[in-house]
Amino acid sequence: MPSSLDAPTADPAVRSTSATTFAARLTPAARAAVRPRSWRAAPDVRDRAAWAGATDVDREALLSTAADRRDTALVEYPTLARWATYSRDGDRRPYERSLRNVMESAATASLALGVTGDDEWVATLGDTVWRLCELSAWCLPSHYALPEDGARPFLPVPGRDVLDLNDAALGGMLAAIDSFAGERLEQDFPGIRARVHHEVRRRVLDPWEQEEYFWHGTDDAPPNNWAPWIVSNVLVCAAVVEPDAGRLTATLDRALGILDRFRAGYDDDGSCDEGATYWWWAGATLFEALDLLTTVTHGAFDGWTVAPVAAMARFPMSMQIDADHQVNHSDGSPVLPENANWHLLARFGAVVGDDDVVQHARWMGRRHPLRFDGQLAPLFLRTLHELRTPDWQRAGAAAPGMPRSLYLPGTEVAVARADGFFLSAKGGHNDVSHNHNDAGSVIVSLDGEPVVVDAGVGVYHRETFMPDTRYGIWTMRSSWHSVPWPNGVEQHEGAAFRATGTTFADDGGRASLSMDLAAAYPADSGLERARRVASIDRTTDSVEVHDEWTFRRPGTMTLVVLTLHEPQPTPGGLLVGPAHLAVDAALGVEVERRDLDDEKLRAAWGPALHRILLVQRDPAVSGSHTLRITRA
């Protein structure tokens, strides 16, 4: 049986580019090539030669993690009380952590069995797989909403799962494990494969065939990362479990329709409005879906030249500040997310013929070894592929590919760098997926050290995704982003609240993003005009944020600057870490400390962030200010 590692791909130089949709690429020849149950995630674990390639470092790390996850899953596992914690209090963490423990025990045990062949892992894997099959639901409590009416029962309805992200990922992981370890498990536990196939059918494939979900999207409202993330796992389930060629092909048709709607939500520049963190669940899972479709059709399906797939491969590289940090507009993290996998990015770059992406991925892979912690179960195939491809980072040239400057009109995000300074600024609108009210926001770093920051997002709770509570969370509000705050009025959420007239220019010496932010605020802000120009000057290695505003009647402008380091007063401005912020004496300066009690924010930033308020001293019809940031 072929492995996805050996998936045939067409030569980029001779590919046809006539079809403009994924659905059109499933040609009669591709349909004829589909063979049910012909796919394996990896060779059978009993083929010891095929599993002999793991490096000693990866092997030791894997076995240590597998032992830890096995022990942890016996102590902290999904219980009624933990499910009820979300239903009562909206706290997602207890149940999600306990479910992750069991899922990661299965994932690591299967990989440990593959690299060692030791029988001890058969017992661990079999027991953990059985425990997963026994759960009342595979989906998460926070996602347990019945698709027909949106009802949210306190506990799962008997026999009724919901096809959410975790349901699909768990099913995809078990199906993938079954494809290379199922025959070995069957030796010790006759009937376990039938149980796995039954549960994958009942919980994943039946809902997929019979129900409609919001994440399917519509032509007017393309879906977000849920679509490729779930579809990529459904395809794994179908490739392993579905014996009927007609039903398997019908799954491919439905999958391609959803993926086409997802793709339609992207501009030709490939920019992801969910941000760099979520690209690894959006663009990356689209790659995984297309990769599997290529494999199950034995290379006859080729979706790689459908726009904007090739451009999407460049997005995470473009959003990196350095080897450890990234631009984090929307619900993103300023540090590289645990779901990033550079081996996947190298494969993505290779299949679309982009050597810059491949070399960048190798460069990153040399700095970030394969991990077996974090979100291993949803990342199962990525981890499996990299584990079985030793020293891939050194298979060719490696070089950083972060651009000197780049503007992505689809999201109106710009990045630019000088010798030491890095600048990102955004226009756009306040109705993106995982939206923050942050039109006009800027991020600045110097020599990799944060100067002006975007806080990002804390641990998800029920309130995070409730429309009436999301924008009460401080990290979502414009008053906690580095944007104007006119007359004490904040930006509002919605597509109508946006930057207008956004333009970008880079003449080599200076790169600038210019926009008007008046429309990002409701009418009671009193704004007529709020022009912002964020620029980086390479001749002086400095950053400037210039604001000009006009009110309909005399008003007061406050400019917000969010920093990691505590600002220290100095002649002409403030010292912020390695940088000096020059402030016009016409504006008053106030500094506030925001202590961080959220574990995710503390992990990213430490104990606190700081908000600088540059306040217009006297009401006026108009005003201007230039914040100049130089090396201290």
Side-chain angles (χ1 to χ4, degrees):
M1 294 183 182
S3 162
S4 63
L5 295 174
D6 305 313
T9 57
D11 184 341
V14 298
R15 287 175 177 162
S16 169
T17 59
S18 57
T20 58
T21 67
F22 295 139
R25 293 295 174 93
L26 194 64
T27 62
R31 292 173 183 276
V34 173
R35 297 289 183 273
R37 295 184 175 179
S38 64
W39 177 87
R40 284 188 192 267
D44 192 296
V45 293
R46 295 169 297 181
D47 183 352
R48 300 312 309 146
W51 282 87
T55 67
D56 290 341
V57 171
D58 286 344
R59 178 189 174 100
E60 291 176 9
L62 168 61
L63 295 181
S64 175
T65 303
D68 176 74
R69 294 297 182 270
R70 176 190 59 202
D71 297 341
T72 303
L74 294 174
V75 176
E76 186 179 1
Y77 51 86
T79 63
L80 171 65
R82 291 185 174 116
W83 182 286
T85 296
Y86 176 80
S87 295
R88 288 196 182 100
D89 306 326
D91 188 350
R92 301 164 54 124
R93 290 170 293 178
Y95 190 87
E96 290 186 14
R97 279 197 295 239
S98 61
L99 179 56
R100 180 184 292 188
N101 289 338
V102 185
M103 292 172 66
E104 290 190 350
S105 180
T108 53
S110 70
L111 298 178
L113 175 60
V115 300
T116 66
D118 291 344
D119 289 345
E120 66 170 296
W121 294 110
V122 175
T124 299
L125 178 59
D127 183 64
T128 310
V129 166
W130 185 259
R131 291 169 68 194
L132 290 169
C133 289
E134 289 288 305
L135 290 174
S136 294
W138 285 356
C139 81
L140 300 179
S142 55
H143 298 161
Y144 197 82
L146 301 181
E148 63 270 19
D149 58 10
R152 289 181 172 271
F154 189 91
L155 296 177
V157 176
R160 181 72 186 278
D161 225 317
V162 171
L163 185 49
D164 77 328
L165 297 173
N166 201 78
D167 179 83
L170 203 165
M173 180 189 73
L174 289 185
I177 291 171
D178 178 77
S179 73
F180 64 82
E183 293 172 32
R184 177 63 188 88
L185 286 180
E186 193 74 11
Q187 290 179 8
D188 287 18
F189 308 108
I192 193 169
R193 299 192 77 190
R195 177 65 188 278
V196 169
H197 284 220
H198 170 78
E199 296 299 338
V200 169
R201 167 71 64 191
R202 178 175 72 87
R203 300 173 189 263
V204 179
L205 295 180
D206 284 350
W208 164 258
E209 292 179 344
Q210 299 167 11
E211 297 177 342
E212 293 291 331
Y213 289 88
F214 73 92
W215 51 264
H216 292 174
T218 65
D219 291 338
D220 295 329
N224 66 0
N225 68 82
W226 280 51
W229 189 348
I230 293 175
V231 165
S232 63
N233 282 294
V234 167
L235 290 172
V236 172
C237 292
V240 173
V241 170
E242 180 54 68
D244 182 81
R247 290 180 74 176
L248 178 56
T249 303
T251 283
L252 304 191
D253 283 328
R254 189 174 205 190
L256 292 171
I258 294 172
L259 294 179
D260 270 324
R261 286 193 288 276
F262 170 75
R263 174 189 57 78
Y266 277 67
D267 195 78
D268 286 345
D269 59 25
S271 56
C272 178
D273 71 1
E274 300 177 83
T277 293
Y278 271 96
W279 183 92
W280 293 98
W281 294 131
T285 56
L286 176 64
F287 164 80
E288 291 177 306
L290 297 179
D291 181 57
L292 192 142
L293 286 161
T294 303
T295 306
V296 298
T297 60
H298 302 277
F301 171 85
D302 174 20
W304 304 112
T305 56
V306 174
V309 172
M312 292 170 73
R314 301 184 67 85
F315 183 76
M317 173 180 77
S318 301
M319 291 298 103
Q320 281 184 237
I321 298 173
D322 54 36
D324 299 298
H325 301 91
Q326 63 179 4
V327 173
N328 67 309
H329 302 302
S330 301
D331 274 0
S333 170
V335 295
L336 295 177
E338 59 187 10
N339 60 339
N341 180 277
W342 306 104
H343 179 246
L344 178 146
L345 189 63
R347 295 169 62 214
F348 199 163
V351 79
V352 298
D354 193 328
D355 197 50
D356 288 343
V357 172
V358 175
Q359 291 193 36
H360 176 81
R362 290 195 193 113
W363 180 77
M364 287 296 293
R366 295 178 186 184
R367 287 155 179 79
H368 297 278
L370 177 61
R371 296 174 55 181
F372 297 98
D373 56 356
Q375 303 188 54
L376 175 58
L379 305 174
F380 184 70
L381 287 182
R382 304 179 197 184
T383 306
L384 172 64
H385 292 339
E386 184 168 359
L387 176 67
R388 297 192 58 252
T389 314
D391 296 325
W392 67 270
Q393 310 94 322
R394 307 194 181 277
M402 293 91 78
R404 189 151 174 83
S405 74
L406 178 69
Y407 176 59
L408 299 170
T411 51
E412 296 189 0
V413 171
V415 296
R417 61 188 78 232
D419 291 339
F421 275 100
F422 172 90
L423 167 69
S424 175
K426 71 182 295 287
H429 61 80
N430 290 337
D431 193 34
V432 300
S433 184
H434 296 278
N435 179 70
H436 291 203
N437 289 337
D438 63 350
S441 182
V442 297
I443 294 171
V444 180
S445 69
L446 175 57
D447 300 330
E449 187 69 19
V451 177
V452 180
V453 304
D454 184 314
V457 67
V459 173
Y460 283 159
H461 294 268
R462 178 165 50 203
E463 292 74 18
T464 310
F465 296 103
M466 300 296 287
D468 58 342
T469 55
R470 179 175 177 88
Y471 296 100
I473 300 171
W474 70 272
T475 57
M476 314 293 178
R477 297 171 57 179
S478 66
S479 59
W480 285 95
H481 288 82
S482 299
V483 301
W485 194 0
N487 285 320
V489 176
E490 298 183 62
Q491 293 183 18
H492 204 280
E493 62 275 9
F497 297 93
R498 62 187 307 129
T500 59
T502 307
T503 60
F504 177 75
D506 186 349
D507 63 8
R510 189 179 188 88
S512 299
L513 185 71
S514 175
M515 69 202 80
D516 191 314
L517 295 174
Y521 299 84
D524 58 356
S525 70
L527 279 175
E528 284 190 342
R529 180 172 179 266
R531 183 171 181 265
R532 166 163 283 198
V533 181
S535 60
I536 192 166
D537 190 328
R538 300 189 182 99
T539 62
T540 59
D541 195 21
S542 63
V543 168
E544 289 185 354
V545 181
H546 177 74
D547 289 288
E548 298 176 6
W549 58 90
T550 304
F551 292 114
R552 288 188 292 274
R553 58 185 60 87
T556 302
M557 176 62 78
T558 297
L559 302 174
V560 179
V561 182
L562 195 66
T563 71
L564 168 61
H565 299 284
E566 182 177 3
Q568 302 294 330
T570 188
L574 299 162
L575 287 176
V576 176
H580 179 267
L581 278 59
V583 177
D584 192 318
L587 299 186
V589 178
E590 301 172 14
V591 175
E592 301 173 352
R593 174 186 171 97
R594 180 90 194 200
D595 292 319
L596 303 178
D597 57 4
D598 180 277
E599 62 183 77
K600 185 174 181 180
L601 292 175
R602 287 182 67 90
W605 299 116
L609 291 172
H610 300 84
R611 180 167 70 170
I612 302 170
L613 302 177
L614 305 178
V615 185
Q616 193 172 5
R617 294 185 187 276
D618 299 304
V621 172
S622 62
S624 66
H625 181 266
T626 300
L627 179 70
R628 190 164 190 267
I629 307 174
T630 57
R631 190 180 296 273

